[in-house]
Amino acid sequence: MDKLRSMEVFVAAVDTGSFTAAAERFGISAVMVGKHVRELEQKLGAALLTRTTRRQSLTEIGRQYAEQCRAILAQIGAAESLAETMRLAPRGVLKITAAVSFGMEWLSPMIPDYLEMFPEVSVELSLNDRMIDMVEEGFDVAVRIGTLEDSSLVARPLRPYGVVICGSPGYLAQRGVPQEPADLAQHECLEFSGWVPQARWRLKGLKDSRHIPLSRLRANNSFALKQAALKGFGLIMQAETALAQDIAAGRLVRVLDDYLPTPRPMHLLYPRDRQPTPKLTSFIDFMLSRLGPCN
């Protein structure tokens, strides 16, 4: 007899309290239930059940064996469920969160390509520069820039996030082109209020960013800062991809290229305690193919 089936039948007999009820569950006879139990007892060399005309009860060995059988059958069920899940096509709503600048310039243009590849998936994209709690707010996956704190999230590395410093031609004509980091003390350096202290205008050759006065304009939205730079209000330090079109069109001019900070790490995050669904797995693979660290 199939040992796993015998274990299933034995556990059913224990849970239902009778061979007859177990037989009904599996569509077999009570006599066959008894054969399954006896087969296990013979292999174990010990009695699992004691039966009388009125009732049945577990032996001490039977009680422990039933607990182990339940655990084994649960693991097998989980493995089969995982295989079934992986077979299914990605479907459902995928909730993604990312910083505004990255989301607008990098992620948003890629989302339609992902949706075209997986027509049964819908995406809810939330762009926000504040640090959110993924689990509490119900997000499946997040893109985060910068050094990660210890957390319960799985972190998959992406391509590092590099920045440039730019100003409008009119601003640079009026205020001058900075030649070294110390010159920034004479400029309006637009401030992103979401920066952690160690990320604030940290340039090579600048020992202390506190030497750079706080800008009269601070914002928690990178797009707002870019608009101020385009209007000629000050210098902006932002992701190269976010400013690439304006640089190419001459609306912004790069400065201090030799002093730019080392690109910051960027990661794809998702909860560790969730079994990845096909929609999440497909998005992870998609992002790694487009923005993986080796691409």
Side-chain angles (χ1 to χ4, degrees), residues 171-202:
Y171 173 86
L172 294 173
Q174 180 183 9
R175 301 287 293 271
V177 178
Q179 301 299 317
E180 58 183 25
D183 295 342
L184 293 176
Q186 309 303 319
H187 283 267
E188 191 78 39
C189 298
L190 299 169
E191 188 87 4
F192 176 57
S193 58
W195 275 337
V196 292
Q198 60 269 27
R200 179 183 176 267
W201 285 87
R202 296 279 177 160

Side-chain angles (χ1 to χ4, degrees), residues 35-83:
K35 288 183 178 180
H36 278 288
V37 174
R38 286 193 296 274
E39 179 77 13
L40 291 174
E41 290 176 330
Q42 290 174 3
K43 289 181 179 178
L44 295 170
L48 299 175
L49 292 168
T50 56
R51 301 183 71 228
T52 66
T53 55
R54 293 185 177 181
R55 60 188 297 272
Q56 69 178 30
S57 61
L58 285 166
T59 65
E60 181 62 26
I61 292 176
R63 186 176 299 107
Q64 295 185 23
Y65 187 71
E67 292 177 359
Q68 294 298 318
C69 285
R70 289 191 184 93
I72 292 170
L73 293 172
Q75 289 180 345
I76 292 172
E80 291 175 344
S81 177
L82 175 61

Side-chain angles (χ1 to χ4, degrees), residues 12 27 54 68 70 84 91 101 136 158 192 205 212 229 236 256-257 263 269 289:
R54 293 185 177 181
Q68 294 298 318
R70 289 191 184 93
E84 178 67 15
R91 59 171 56 91
S101 178
E136 183 177 330
L158 298 174
F192 176 57
I212 301 176
I236 186 171
L256 297 175
D257 277 355
L269 304 180
S289 70

Side-chain angles (χ1 to χ4, degrees), residues 207-283:
K207 295 182 179 180
D208 193 341
S209 64
R210 288 177 296 182
H211 294 159
I212 301 176
L214 287 175
S215 172
R216 289 187 294 131
L217 175 59
R218 303 177 74 239
N220 67 348
N221 184 288
S222 54
F223 182 76
L225 294 177
K226 184 170 77 169
Q227 295 307 305
L230 290 169
K231 289 288 186 179
F233 185 76
L235 298 176
I236 186 171
M237 183 168 71
Q238 207 169 94
E240 182 175 3
T241 53
L243 305 179
Q245 291 185 0
D246 294 303
I247 293 171
R251 293 186 291 269
L252 291 175
V253 179
R254 294 176 61 146
V255 298
L256 297 175
D257 277 355
D258 293 338
Y259 301 95
L260 295 176
T262 302
R264 291 191 292 161
M266 185 164 62
H267 292 86
L268 194 66
L269 304 180
Y270 56 93
R272 185 183 302 277
D273 58 352
R274 294 183 186 172
Q275 178 177 309
T277 59
K279 65 183 179 183
L280 176 57
T281 301
S282 65
F283 184 73

Side-chain angles (χ1 to χ4, degrees), residues 149-162:
E149 298 179 357
D150 292 337
S151 73
S152 60
L153 301 174
V154 178
R156 303 291 297 273
L158 298 174
R159 184 184 309 164
Y161 187 84

